[in-house]
Amino acid sequence: MYKTIVTEIGELVPAFAEERLVVLFGPEATSELRAISVIHEAIEKQENALVVGRTLTIGTQRYEIIKVGAAANKNFDEHGHVSVYFQEGIDEVLPGAIIVGPGQFPEINVGNTIEIHP
């Protein structure tokens, strides 16, 4: 299992609700990236945690990982970075992104845990 805690929410994060996109980034994110990102700090790490069929939880909200981009695990393992699209029915996934369902945009607050588990 991978478990992390939300430590900061960039001021521009709500602007991505219409696109149903959340950008996660680890604590080393630059100030420019912090503005658009949900900053999190890992409590329990697991390499290559982003796998189709696994469950992503944000607080109490549960999602199934539907697609995983080719560079998503590498970026997530090294920098805590992944773009999460809450949109079902997308044919192609960007290399550093995952697609999860259902497509409902999550409510995210500082102190929420984010978990990835089988």
Side-chain angles (χ1 to χ4, degrees):
M1 180 175 73
Y2 189 101
K3 184 175 183 178
T4 188
I5 189 163
V6 175
T7 58
E8 181 181 336
I9 299 172
E11 66 268 13
L12 299 177
V13 169
F16 292 101
E18 188 174 313
E19 295 178 44
R20 293 183 284 168
L21 167 64
V22 170
V23 178
L24 298 177
F25 229 108
E28 76 278 357
T30 64
S31 60
E32 294 84 13
L33 291 171
R34 285 179 182 278
I36 64 165
S37 299
V38 172
I39 306 301
H40 64 99
E41 189 147 356
I43 298 169
E44 188 177 326
K45 287 188 173 186
Q46 175 189 10
E47 293 209 357
N48 299 311
L50 303 171
V51 176
V52 171
R54 287 197 173 168
T55 301
L56 169 74
T57 60
I58 300 173
T60 60
Q61 301 153 103
R62 300 176 69 85
Y63 301 90
E64 179 184 351
I65 298 175
I66 298 169
K67 294 188 181 185
V68 177
N73 273 300
K74 181 179 186 301
N75 292 344
F76 197 61
D77 291 347
E78 292 178 6
H79 306 290
H81 170 60
V82 67
S83 297
V84 183
Y85 287 88
F86 297 84
Q87 303 175 16
E88 298 169 79
I90 297 176
D91 291 330
E92 288 191 38
V93 60
L94 296 171
I98 63 172
I99 298 172
V100 301
Q104 182 178 353
F105 191 77
E107 180 180 325
I108 304 174
N109 297 296
V110 170
N112 281 153
T113 57
I114 299 173
E115 298 178 7
I116 301 164
H117 44 85

